[in-house]
Amino acid sequence: EDVSAYLRPEGRVGVSEAKRTVAVALPNGVEILTTSKDPQAKALRGWLKSRGYTLEQMEKAELYHLGMDVFWPYFEFEMLIYWQARSRLNTRFAFPPEDIYDEKGEVVGKTEGTKGDFFYGFDSVEPASYVIITEAIFDQNTLYEQCVASGGADLTPNQVKKLKILGPRKGIILSPDNDGPGINSILRNRQVLRGLGFPIFCSIPPKLKYEEKGEIKYTKDWNEILMKLELT
């Protein structure tokens, strides 16, 4: 059964007051990736497995697809507040449109926020513990436990507010990509986070050598380490 309607804000949120909050809806026509019978869904499941996902993780993350696009929903307190899509055919990304339409096609509101306002994986983090912050969703899934993806190297003011809500009293672990922008972001983010009063650590993915099509390369993020060195 397609339960995508349940996962839209009007179906997912049970409190009547919360139902009046305009969040964001998934595009019409999306299907749950793990149960879709579409041949394209099978190809996408294979692609995600090659990037380290298990079927159980796909199901828990409530991933969707539309054609050859995979949709990652962002949840906060069980409300769908944002989504990100990526095409398997190229590196094209997609995000919610600025305008929100009702069933009649009339504009009823604006999308509240952009990717930089949220953390992917927010609802999966146990509060009052610790939190690991990576840049990309694939890295978040690779580390998995107590991990969120920021969508970029530098944290935004709204993301800092989200960290206050989580209250990671055991520490915030900055773990961006091992490249120039990622390493430089640690210094900037540390400065931004100092006022929260939580311990701040960093864990940079090591540059490990691997060979691909006869060329020597080096890993720069956690998902690359899983993908390129898992069998070596």
Side-chain angles (χ1 to χ4, degrees):
E1 180 181 357
D2 184 6
V3 297
S4 57
Y6 166 76
L7 294 173
R8 292 193 172 94
E10 62 273 18
R12 186 180 181 91
V13 181
V15 181
S16 58
E17 290 79 9
K19 286 187 177 181
R20 294 197 293 270
T21 302
V22 177
V24 65
L26 290 160
N28 291 329
V30 297
E31 295 183 74
I32 295 178
L33 184 61
T34 54
T35 58
S36 174
K37 304 300 182 184
D38 190 320
Q40 295 175 102
K42 182 178 180 180
L44 290 173
R45 290 192 291 266
W47 172 54
L48 291 176
K49 286 180 180 179
S50 74
R51 298 298 300 264
Y53 271 85
T54 65
L55 281 175
E56 290 76 14
Q57 289 172 330
M58 295 180 211
E59 184 176 8
K60 185 176 181 180
E62 300 177 25
L63 300 187
Y64 288 81
H65 88 101
L66 182 60
M68 289 299 286
D69 290 350
V70 176
F71 288 76
W72 283 265
Y74 288 52
F75 296 115
E76 283 185 6
F77 305 109
E78 294 297 308
M79 177 182 282
L80 176 65
I81 45 84
Y82 199 70
W83 53 259
Q84 178 181 158
R86 177 176 174 177
S87 171
R88 173 66 180 97
L89 302 178
N90 48 49
T91 57
R92 179 180 58 81
F93 290 86
F95 307 94
E98 181 178 343
D99 292 327
I100 299 174
Y101 297 87
D102 62 13
E103 294 179 354
K104 298 178 181 178
E106 298 178 355
V107 177
V108 295
K110 297 286 186 180
T111 299
E112 297 183 1
T114 63
K115 181 177 65 171
D117 291 313
F118 309 110
F119 282 119
Y120 178 81
F122 179 90
D123 266 10
S124 300
V125 172
E126 183 70 27
S129 179
Y130 69 94
V131 62
I132 306 169
I133 303 175
T134 64
E135 292 186 41
I137 288 177
F138 281 125
D139 297 319
Q140 183 270 347
N141 186 73
T142 299
L143 298 182
Y144 207 63
E145 295 293 335
Q146 294 295 111
C147 189
V148 296
S150 61
D154 288 345
L155 298 176
T156 68
N158 280 334
Q159 287 175 329
V160 174
K161 292 178 182 177
K162 308 289 184 186
L163 289 171
K164 288 185 68 175
I165 294 172
L166 291 174
R169 56 185 177 84
K170 293 183 179 179
I172 299 170
I173 304 171
L174 301 172
S175 192
D177 293 352
N178 191 347
D179 54 19
I183 293 174
N184 290 332
S185 74
I186 291 176
L187 300 177
R188 294 190 295 270
N189 289 333
R190 182 179 182 277
Q191 190 69 23
V192 168
L193 295 172
R194 285 180 64 185
L196 295 184
F198 302 119
I200 302 170
F201 308 96
C202 67
S203 180
I204 304 172
K207 284 187 176 292
L208 302 177
K209 183 170 65 174
Y210 67 95
E211 185 174 336
E212 186 174 74
K213 297 180 179 179
E215 182 180 355
I216 298 298
K217 297 183 178 181
Y218 294 87
T219 59
K220 69 178 181 66
D221 60 49
W222 297 111
N223 189 246
E224 276 191 355
I225 292 173
L226 176 68
M227 290 170 55
K228 307 299 182 183
L229 303 175
E230 186 179 32
L231 301 179
T232 63

